[in-house]
Amino acid sequence: VNDALENSIPATDILNKGLIAGMDIVGEKMENEDMFIPEVLMAAQIMGKGVDILKPLLGDEETSARGKVVIGTVKGDLHDIGKNLVAMMMESAGLVVHNLGVDIAPEEFVKQIKEKNASILCLSALLTTTMPMMKQTIDAVVESGLRDQIKIMVGGAPVTQTFADDIGADAFASDAGSAAKKAKTLGN
């Protein structure tokens, strides 16, 4: 990143044609099982350091152009390794990500969607016993009147496309790479 800046390459080109394009490759390699979680985490951390260098040179419109994401693990579930990896991959894809953490109540998701002006909501569950909370969260979004302005993606080990369809989610992702790719298309 520093070499590119010294060679007068615009910060937006470094971000879009270098860092984000590189993480797209990482995501594909993860999906194809040519790259595994430790390498993906390392790539995402390095990407983050590159973005930190570029942030002062980028306008707010460049860093939020692809969409704003609210992500969290649903109420009753304390698992977050997969969710954190998804959040890192989404940030690496150029999305602005607000990671709420774990054990998040439906009302808090609704509040954060409003506060962050999010265009994508990502819900995670690792326990089959907390999967119904995804439906309750989607119901809370519908009741709040926000459903028309937000895309909802769900994921986690026990979650399937059929379950996502049944609860009214817009998308399902089985891994971090495909989650980032889907979020980019949903955010545009």
Side-chain angles (χ1 to χ4, degrees):
V1 170
N2 287 324
D3 285 350
L5 289 171
E6 286 174 20
N7 287 307
S8 301
I9 297 173
T12 53
D13 285 352
I14 298 168
L15 178 67
N16 294 319
K17 295 177 183 175
L19 298 176
I20 291 173
M23 285 306 292
D24 286 345
I25 294 167
V26 169
E28 287 173 28
K29 286 183 178 249
M30 184 183 178
E31 282 181 59
N32 297 332
E33 296 183 2
D34 292 330
M35 201 176 220
F36 299 98
I37 290 176
E39 293 96 349
V40 173
L41 285 171
M42 190 173 12
Q45 289 170 342
I46 292 166
M47 161 85 180
K49 290 182 187 303
V51 170
D52 288 345
I53 294 168
L54 294 175
K55 265 187 188 166
L57 306 171
L58 296 168
D60 287 340
E61 67 279 354
E62 280 103 346
T63 57
S64 63
R66 291 180 182 249
K68 293 181 183 171
V69 177
V70 168
I71 186 171
T73 303
V74 295
K75 185 170 179 59
D77 202 320
L78 302 177
H79 295 88
D80 70 347
I81 294 171
K83 172 196 55 76
N84 290 343
L85 182 58
V86 168
M88 279 197 290
M89 290 295 289
M90 287 182 174
E91 284 174 348
S92 297
L95 295 151
V96 175
V97 178
H98 303 282
N99 188 341
L100 304 184
V102 300
D103 196 26
I104 307 299
E107 305 76 33
E108 184 62 20
F109 279 116
V110 169
K111 177 182 168 206
Q112 292 299 320
I113 291 166
K114 290 177 187 173
E115 283 183 16
K116 307 299 193 242
N117 193 27
S119 56
I120 302 170
L121 172 64
C122 295
L123 304 174
S124 174
L126 188 68
L127 304 172
T128 55
T129 55
T130 59
M131 287 170 61
M133 190 55 67
M134 289 179 156
K135 171 76 168 115
Q136 290 179 33
T137 302
I138 291 173
D139 290 346
V141 172
V142 170
E143 289 168 21
S144 72
L146 296 172
R147 185 63 181 100
D148 292 343
Q149 63 195 53
I150 194 148
K151 299 293 184 182
I152 300 174
M153 184 184 309
V154 295
V159 180
T160 63
Q161 182 66 59
T162 301
F163 178 77
D165 294 341
D166 289 347
I167 65 171
D170 296 299
F172 159 75
S174 59
D175 60 71
S178 60
K181 191 183 293 182
K182 285 184 183 179
K184 281 198 309 190
T185 61
L186 290 175
N188 289 333

